[in-house]
Amino acid sequence: MLRAAMDLLRETGSEESVSLRAVAARVGVSVPSIYLHFADKQALLDAVCAEVFEQLHVAMKTASADAPNPWEALRAMGVSYVHFALDNPEHYRIVMMRGSSEQAPADEIASGAFGHLLDGVLACIGLGILEGDPVDLGLKLWAAAHGIASLLIAKPRFPWPQVDELVDATICMAGTGLAVGSRLPDELSPDEIVKRLEKLR
Amino acid sequence: MLRAAMDLLRETGSEESVSLRAVAARVGVSVPSIYLHFADKQALLDAVCAEVFEQLHVAMKTASADAPNPWEALRAMGVSYVHFALDNPEHYRIVMMRGSSEQAPADEIASGAFGHLLDGVLACIGLGILEGDPVDLGLKLWAAAHGIASLLIAKPRFPWPQVDELVDATICMAGTGLAVGSRLPDELSPDEIVKRLEKLR
DNA sequence: GACTTGACTGAACATCGCTAACTTAGCGGC
DNA sequence: GCCGCTAAGTTAGCGATGTTCAGTCAAGTC
């Protein structure tokens, strides 16, 4: 049923088309049978969310695996995050752009993809590129990546200029802004920060 | 009917509760009467979107009106944008976090709030703080503001640390990242850019 | 063999967006 | 004074949705 729901979501490209009847028909059972395995339609969608989050997690992991340094790894994570969202727009919409369904999937987020992002941030702090609360830094990066991804998904009619470049530039903007901003009252000058950043590319 | 829909949205706090029957009951007419004024339920929601965008536009305008300089105006716009979204979460969700409904409201966006944002970007370019395509710069700022706003709205259960500070810090991150990044291959050094930025605060 | 348990089904319910057919009121022209 | 026309509103109903309920059927257990 879970797989049927995800496939249906990908094929139709719209959440409304994923009705319990459609899922049941695809699986080959009757509608009420779904309620024997999921408490609710929301529960089914929550299961889909968990699955998508796991896929996103591995996508970010593989993208950052062969990065030459933590800074590039962070950038690769951001870019792969956005590309994953654009490749699975409806799944991403369900996970990140809806009412969170009473139940807090915060643990899912924290333990999965966001945890991996935090590792990258910690590595950059260890390298002296970033400074401050890792969670805070990670949330800002997350906001930037999620921002450009969800904008591109929610407004496909907008005359976007060069999507790939825009995504990469947005991630870079967040990175340099974070690096320069977090080290501002520090002993390191912006010149040296940017020089370090360029050396890592 | 438009007002009834918006009030209903604010009171119930969930889009699902805004049914044509609920709107009709609140207005005091029968359900099909709505179709005499709106082609569709989507048309009603589109009208709501236009209204919300206009409110967002004036909110950003008033917030940036008494800023001491274009750079601070841009920051004020970003912060007020996010606060408007947090004050009207369900309205913001309808406008920015759904399927864009076939019809492109791109003109709405371009002419309204985004146009005002572009003015701010152009002023900063004139000041020598930013450089490059104004639309591109504006989109990145928009992505950052929308990112943190929609994250806060979509994941209210997440243990967010100090919302106001996080919002402001995210906007600042985007600003400095944009300024430093857009001037990188230029004659101005990061040191001087950041110094200029600090002088403007 | 009686009993429990779990997966499953058909029928039904309330609600949703939406449509068709009909009624009513107001207005200008002859 | 009556006609035709338009705008606004109505009742009744359609198909689809999420959800619940009573009942069926096979497998396992004592």
Side-chain angles (χ1 to χ4, degrees), chain B residues 70-88:
Chain B
W71 185 245
E72 279 296 298
L74 219 52
R75 199 169 67 95
M77 271 189 256
V79 173
S80 72
Y81 178 97
V82 179
H83 278 86
F84 179 89
L86 298 181
D87 286 341
N88 311 276

Side-chain angles (χ1 to χ4, degrees), chain A residues 19 37 47 58 61 78 94 102-103 111-112 130 134 142 166 187 193:
Chain A
S19 66
H37 306 275
V58 305
K61 216 170 190 171
I94 286 192
E102 198 77 15
Q103 203 76 287
S111 65
L130 294 178
W142 188 20
L166 179 64
E187 74 282 353
I193 296 173

Side-chain angles (χ1 to χ4, degrees), chain B residues 130-153:
Chain B
L130 294 177
E131 210 171 60
D133 179 27
V135 174
D136 215 59
L137 296 168
L139 286 178
K140 291 176 203 161
L141 282 177
W142 188 22
H146 166 70
I148 190 63
S150 65
L151 270 190
L152 286 166
I153 290 176

Side-chain angles (χ1 to χ4, degrees), chain A residues 8-194:
Chain A
L8 219 44
L9 205 58
R10 173 165 287 109
E11 290 171 17
T12 66
S14 101
E15 180 186 355
E16 304 165 9
S17 304
V18 183
S19 66
L20 292 185
R21 281 165 171 84
V23 172
R26 172 167 292 234
V27 177
V29 297
S30 68
V31 178
S33 294
I34 300 180
Y35 286 89
L36 298 173
H37 306 275
F38 296 94
D40 224 339
K41 183 185 184 181
Q42 190 57 52
L44 208 180
L45 292 182
D46 284 348
V48 171
C49 288
E51 184 72 21
V52 173
F53 249 115
E54 190 50 38
Q55 290 184 10
L56 172 60
H57 184 186
V58 305
M60 288 172 64
K61 216 170 190 171
T62 59
S64 63
D66 50 354
N69 54 64
W71 185 246
E72 278 297 297
L74 219 51
R75 199 170 68 95
M77 272 189 254
V79 172
S80 73
Y81 177 97
V82 179
H83 278 86
F84 179 88
L86 297 182
D87 287 340
N88 312 277
E90 216 61 25
H91 301 77
Y92 186 80
R93 183 199 304 275
I94 286 192
V95 175
M96 298 297 293
M97 298 157 84
R98 71 189 331 262
S100 84
S101 77
E102 198 77 15
Q103 203 76 287
D107 358 324
E108 304 280 344
I109 298 174
S111 65
F114 189 63
H116 191 233
L117 174 66
L118 277 188
D119 290 342
V121 170
L122 284 169
C124 286
I125 293 179
L127 231 71
I129 306 177
L130 294 178
E131 211 171 60
D133 179 26
V135 174
D136 215 59
L137 296 168
L139 286 178
K140 290 177 206 162
L141 283 176
W142 188 20
H146 167 69
I148 190 64
S150 65
L151 271 189
L152 285 166
I153 290 175
K155 304 290 174 193
R157 305 275 180 176
F158 191 86
W160 298 105
Q162 293 278 62
V163 172
D164 280 345
E165 292 178 18
L166 179 64
V167 170
D168 196 68
T170 304
I171 302 291
C172 288
M173 169 196 78
T176 64
L178 217 53
V180 175
S182 73
R183 303 298 298 262
L184 253 193
D186 211 48
E187 74 282 353
L188 227 55
S189 77
D191 265 349
E192 300 178 51
I193 296 173
V194 172

